[in-house]
Amino acid sequence: MSRSKVILVIDDDRGFRGLLTAQLGDMGYDTTGAASWAEASACLKEIEPDLILLDMKLPDTTPELAVPELAAEYPVIVLTGYGSIRSAVLVIHAGALDYLTKPVSLAELELTIARVLDNAEMRRSNALYKRQLAARQGSGLIGNSAAILALESLIDAVAPTNATVLIHGESGSGKEVVASAIHQRSERKNSELVTVDATTLSETLFESELFGHEKGAFTGADRQKKGLIEAAEGGTLFLDEIGEVSLANQARLLRLFESGTFRRVGGTKTLRADVRFIVATHRNLGLMVREGRFRSDLFFRLSSFVLTSPPLRDRREDIALLAEHFLSQFCRGQKKLFARDAITTLTAYDWPGNVRELRNVIERAVILARNAAVIRRDHVSMPELEGASVLSFNFEHPPTLKDLERSYFLRTLERFGGNRARTAAALGISERNVYRLIGLYGAELT
């Protein structure tokens, strides 16, 4: 459930301030009052309002000074008992979002506040629109394998909750796609999905980007900056490669996950995060705990719900579907098909780079095929595949062709755990031929 919006009322008229805060409380807002600029400044060190109602005439400041400073960080509505066109123009140019003359009717005040808050929310959302769109594109998991169907079932179970989720999987296996699927199936789907890649940020930059910083927090911090936690307000924050985060920042993350609160760098205000957290890693966090490189308390906090993004080699039956999906993306309206030997080649490969590598290979194949309507085997050949096919055989005597066939067949069958279909695809023969060779060399399988 979303938190109540916080409104700060700055007005030196004690009676009006008390009446206004009471009425706003009845509307469902959390309200705080301040009688002067000094009192408001002290208050802003402790709270983070969603909106400020500012009296035009305060004893210790002027609108020319107060409005620009406040409007740089918060939506501001100015209230005054001395309404004029000139003063309205003045405060709007200074950054206020609206201007109301006292006495203000309750209905007018409620409508104005709702409009200003809605507009502020729209501006916040639009600032991250491209990022959100990129995160949501391709958020569907593609495949019909047992591994993907099991993963889909777990996603459906955890998505409606607010539980923090740890996604484990090899690089390129689609951990961000899993995170996006969780977000899209949650009650937060209409808000932001914000992604933070820990591998691209230094320790100091990570803290500043995630938690934000206050003006003067460090050299070059010439203004307040809200972090990505606040950018994800009401939505989901996906922290990729948590295994790369320093021990100091791990402690900050533990506090965030457990209490739902945080402070900006250089700040004293405790802020509340209305955010759902999903983290991911390709590392063995349990081993990192034993080696002292990952906090055990954070590890146990994250281990309550773990999802595994399966490597592509463990769901080969999905390779053709994924290849077709990427082909449709890169063809841009052109009609292209895969030749059978191309699919066989793709299916036989172990894909150490997983889905990301497959995507890159298909993009390259489309470029190489140019205007050809069929993607052939030579279009999808990979240098890694050529290297991976080099085998070393040891024989006590010069091998015959049958010796080579037997050794290569048995090694390939072992490589695929006895799976006939995958062995046939790798060797470029039919499954019937695989069964014949098993019968021929079957005694050597025991």
Side-chain angles (χ1 to χ4, degrees), residues 5 29 50-51 74-77 92 96-98 110-127:
K5 298 294 185 181
Y29 298 111
D50 297 289
L51 174 68
Y74 313 102
V76 176
I77 297 174
I92 296 298
L97 297 181
D98 215 324
E110 186 170 11
L111 286 172
T112 302
I113 288 175
R115 184 176 68 251
V116 169
L117 287 173
D118 285 346
N119 289 341
E121 181 70 19
M122 288 176 61
R123 284 195 299 275
R124 184 187 70 82
S125 297
N126 289 338

Side-chain angles (χ1 to χ4, degrees), residues 128-141 174-185 188-189 191-196 232 235-239 278 329:
L128 286 172
Y129 178 72
K130 288 184 179 179
R131 188 174 196 155
Q132 177 188 16
L133 185 61
R136 290 179 177 179
Q137 284 178 339
S139 63
L141 291 167
K175 297 186 290 295
E176 188 168 355
V177 174
V178 175
S180 182
I182 295 172
H183 174 72
Q184 287 299 307
R185 300 177 199 184
R188 298 174 177 267
K189 64 183 178 181
S191 297
E192 310 294 344
L193 170 62
V194 177
T195 299
V196 185
T236 304
L237 189 138
F238 173 52
L239 174 56
I278 302 174
Q329 282 188 342

Side-chain angles (χ1 to χ4, degrees), residues 404-416:
L404 290 172
E405 179 188 74
R406 178 178 62 249
S407 184
Y408 182 54
F409 170 73
L410 293 175
R411 186 172 300 188
T412 303
L413 186 65
E414 180 183 10
R415 174 188 175 193
F416 294 114

Side-chain angles (χ1 to χ4, degrees), residues 46-192:
E46 302 297 328
I47 68 167
E48 191 81 6
D50 297 289
L51 174 68
I52 293 177
L53 295 177
L54 175 67
D55 184 24
M56 186 85 162
K57 291 192 177 296
L58 293 175
D60 53 351
T61 190
T62 64
E64 293 88 348
L65 295 175
V67 173
E69 184 169 341
L70 293 174
E73 299 180 23
Y74 313 102
V76 176
I77 297 174
V78 172
L79 301 173
T80 181
Y82 308 93
S84 70
I85 295 177
R86 182 179 179 279
S87 57
V89 171
L90 173 70
V91 296
I92 296 298
H93 281 180
L97 297 181
D98 215 324
Y99 175 92
L100 295 173
T101 303
K102 299 177 184 178
V104 181
S105 74
L106 194 60
E108 182 183 11
L109 180 65
E110 186 170 11
L111 286 172
T112 302
I113 288 175
R115 184 176 68 251
V116 169
L117 287 173
D118 285 346
N119 289 341
E121 181 70 19
M122 288 176 61
R123 284 195 299 275
R124 184 187 70 82
S125 297
N126 289 338
L128 286 172
Y129 178 72
K130 288 184 179 179
R131 188 174 196 155
Q132 177 188 16
L133 185 61
R136 290 179 177 179
Q137 284 178 339
S139 63
L141 291 167
I142 297 173
N144 297 313
S145 62
I148 287 297
L149 294 178
L151 180 59
E152 290 271 13
S153 178
L154 290 173
I155 291 172
D156 286 338
V158 76
T161 74
N162 241 357
T164 298
V165 178
L166 170 62
I167 305 170
H168 183 269
E170 297 177 6
S171 294
S173 62
K175 297 186 290 295
E176 188 168 355
V177 174
V178 175
S180 182
I182 295 172
H183 174 72
Q184 287 299 307
R185 300 177 199 184
S186 75
E187 294 181 357
R188 298 174 177 267
K189 64 183 178 181
N190 293 322
S191 297
E192 310 294 344

Side-chain angles (χ1 to χ4, degrees), residues 428-441:
I429 60 178
S430 67
E431 284 191 55
R432 178 178 293 183
N433 215 346
V434 169
Y435 279 100
R436 181 186 66 80
L437 292 173
I438 289 175
L440 185 60
Y441 305 124

Side-chain angles (χ1 to χ4, degrees), residues 319 323 338 342-349 351 358 361-362 380 382:
I319 291 175
F338 284 107
I343 292 296
T344 299
T345 298
L346 294 173
T347 305
Y349 184 49
W351 300 105
L358 173 61
V361 165
I362 301 305
V380 299
M382 291 78 68

